[in-house]
Every structure is written in C-alpha cells, then in structure tokens.
Amino acid sequence: MKKRIVTTTAVFDPGYPAEKAAERLAGLGFEALDMALDYWRTAENSPFLTDGYLAWAQAVGKQAESVGAPYTHSHAPGEAGTDPLIGRSIETAGALGAKYMVLHPIFRENGADIDDADTFIRRNADAVKPWLPLARDSGVVILSENLLWGASRDPRIIARLVESVGSEQFGWCFDTGHANIFGYGPAILPECACPPLSLHLQDNNGGGDEHLIPGDGNIDWDAMAASLKAVGYAGDCVLEAHHQSLDAKDEDRDPILARLFTAAKDLRAKMED
C-alpha cells in the first residue's frame, strides 16, 4: 500500500478552522492529516474543550474525508499519566477516524529529568497502561515519542518502553529532528527493539528543535529513507515540519506548504524505491 503524505494541522495557528485547514491542505496535495489537539488546547473558544467535543470531531472528520484528506493521526496535549485531557484526546482521535495518537512520555519528575532508562520505562509503562482499554474501544493506537529531555532522548529507550508494555494499542513515533539534535542518525533505527509505527518527519541543523522542511537542515534523508526501509517501516510519511509555515503570514503559507509536500513526495519515492 502506498504511503500517504500526512501533515500536522499545526502548520496553522491554534484555532484556525479545521474545515478550512482540511480544504486548503487537500488542495495542495496532502493525502491525510494529523490533528494537532495540543494546539486546540490553547485555542480561544476551542470546541475540543466543550461538552460537544465528540460531535465536533465527528463532523470535522467527515468533512476532511469528503475533501480527500482524512484524519489518520493526532497529537494529544500533555504527557502520559499527567494530563486530564488524555481520555478526551483518545475519544476525539477515535471520533475523527485517526488510528494513531501521539502522547508524549513523562520525562521529568520533581523538577528533574528522568535520566535512568529503567525508571523512565517503568514510570511510563505504569502511566500508559490504564488508557489502553479506552484506546482499544476507540480504535486508537497510542504512540510514545523520542523527545528532548532525559531518557526520552534515546529512540532505543522509547522502543524498549513499547516492548515493556507489550500491547497492540501501544507503539512509538520516531521524531527525526529530535533524534538529530542528540546525534542519533538514521543508523539508530536498526538498534531499536521494534520499528516505529509512525514518524514526525522534520529537519534541523543539529542545534535546536527547528521543525524545518526536510532538506532545509543537515539530516541525511537518503540514509534516513534507507534505514526506514531496512527496519520494515510500513507507516505513512507524517510531517511535523510546521515552524516555517507558522512564522509566515497566512497569505504567504501556501508556497511553503507546497514545498513541504514536494519534499515529502521526494522522500516517499526514496522510501518506496
């Protein structure tokens, strides 16, 4: 099955109408969407925070499907086990039709980063397991993600967490930019206990979390595509390269997003070659 080119809706400001975002992104060629629920948490008069959140999600999901860019992914606010919106986020992902929902792992306790791998895995396994029945009932797979702090920085530890939980409702998302900051290049993927189920494709120059269009930083994308093929990655090309779009005026965004789509199309060709 051909990998779909998916972008986060965080290419637009928090509160940007979801229907308009779907129409605009579908018109630019994007084949599916990743709902940035973390942005809807901060949006003024957010429907995600009202009692009608499920009706909103169902309507938004149907509209996105009708324009040819269904929601296949979502991103929850907060961290596993510590955020009161986790359950709402799982239900919303299910109502949207999004199979995958990224939920950040807990990376800090009592003001200090969790550096010990075993402690990190145990703490996060305990935090995510209570949500797995709701995820199953909602048709959602929760994904952890390699981040920027403590043990969360190492993709191999995130994969070990998935192995520890041992559930079909739990996997991981490989963030290419986060890994690049800490020197974890494409060769890290074969060292992971299991392949990722999704990606956050974004670039940077190794010094900060810039979320650039692939090719605008120093990641070796030929090597990245080869590594993903080598580990049998079967998911979509999911982009989280949103900062360049967010930094632009709305009337200037379409050319940036078109370039993002082209970069993803080129990367998909390398992954499927």
Side-chain angles (χ1 to χ4, degrees):
M1 184 176 178
K2 197 173 186 67
K3 298 181 187 303
R4 290 167 293 192
I5 297 176
V6 185
T7 181
T8 174
T9 57
V11 293
F12 299 114
D13 299 307
Y16 188 89
E19 296 84 356
K20 188 175 180 181
E23 290 178 2
R24 194 166 168 183
L25 292 167
L28 289 165
F30 292 97
E31 297 157 348
L33 301 176
D34 178 359
M35 173 62 87
L37 292 173
D38 44 345
Y39 274 39
W40 281 104
R41 180 182 200 162
T42 62
E44 187 175 355
N45 299 318
S46 172
F48 173 57
L49 302 179
T50 69
D51 291 341
Y53 66 99
L54 288 180
W56 169 74
Q58 289 167 352
V60 164
K62 288 179 181 178
Q63 184 266 345
E65 189 169 2
S66 74
V67 299
Y71 286 97
T72 54
H73 294 69
S74 67
H75 197 314
E79 303 159 26
T82 65
D83 197 287
L85 294 179
I86 293 174
R88 179 178 295 240
S89 298
I90 294 170
E91 292 175 331
T92 299
L96 284 166
K99 179 178 180 179
Y100 298 108
M101 187 195 82
V102 170
L103 177 63
H104 284 174
I106 299 168
F107 55 84
R108 183 176 294 134
E109 286 190 315
N110 301 319
D113 291 352
I114 304 174
D115 292 316
D116 179 72
D118 291 337
T119 301
F120 174 87
I121 290 168
R122 182 174 60 254
R123 181 70 182 89
N124 277 285
D126 289 346
V128 78
K129 284 178 181 178
W131 295 110
L132 297 180
L134 179 61
R136 182 186 62 246
D137 293 344
S138 301
V140 173
V141 177
I142 300 172
L143 304 179
S144 193
E145 176 186 0
N146 56 301
L147 295 177
L148 304 173
W149 307 274
S152 78
R153 296 177 297 186
D154 190 335
R156 293 167 296 189
I157 294 175
I158 304 298
R160 281 179 56 196
L161 167 62
V162 172
E163 195 173 48
S164 173
V165 172
S167 169
E168 293 182 354
Q169 302 307 132
F170 187 62
W172 72 288
C173 170
F174 178 56
D175 190 300
T176 58
H178 293 168
N180 190 53
I181 292 171
F182 300 103
Y184 297 120
I188 198 68
L189 285 170
E191 298 182 23
C192 295
C194 55
L197 297 181
S198 187
L199 304 170
H200 280 170
L201 297 169
Q202 53 126 336
D203 212 338
N204 59 51
N205 290 293
D209 195 20
E210 298 169 280
H211 287 264
L212 301 176
I213 294 171
D216 285 2
N218 66 9
I219 291 177
D220 184 340
W221 290 101
D222 289 338
M224 184 66 71
S227 189
L228 287 164
K229 286 174 61 178
V231 300
Y233 176 70
D236 291 328
C237 295
V238 186
L239 298 148
E240 199 185 43
H242 53 294
H243 284 186
Q244 286 155 293
S245 175
L246 280 178
D247 289 343
K249 294 180 180 179
D250 191 56
E251 59 267 27
D252 296 329
R253 284 179 176 148
D254 281 6
I256 296 170
L257 295 172
R259 193 162 68 83
L260 176 61
F261 177 77
T262 297
K265 190 164 63 171
D266 292 345
L267 181 57
R268 176 172 67 183
K270 292 174 183 177
M271 292 171 66
E272 296 182 342
D273 185 15

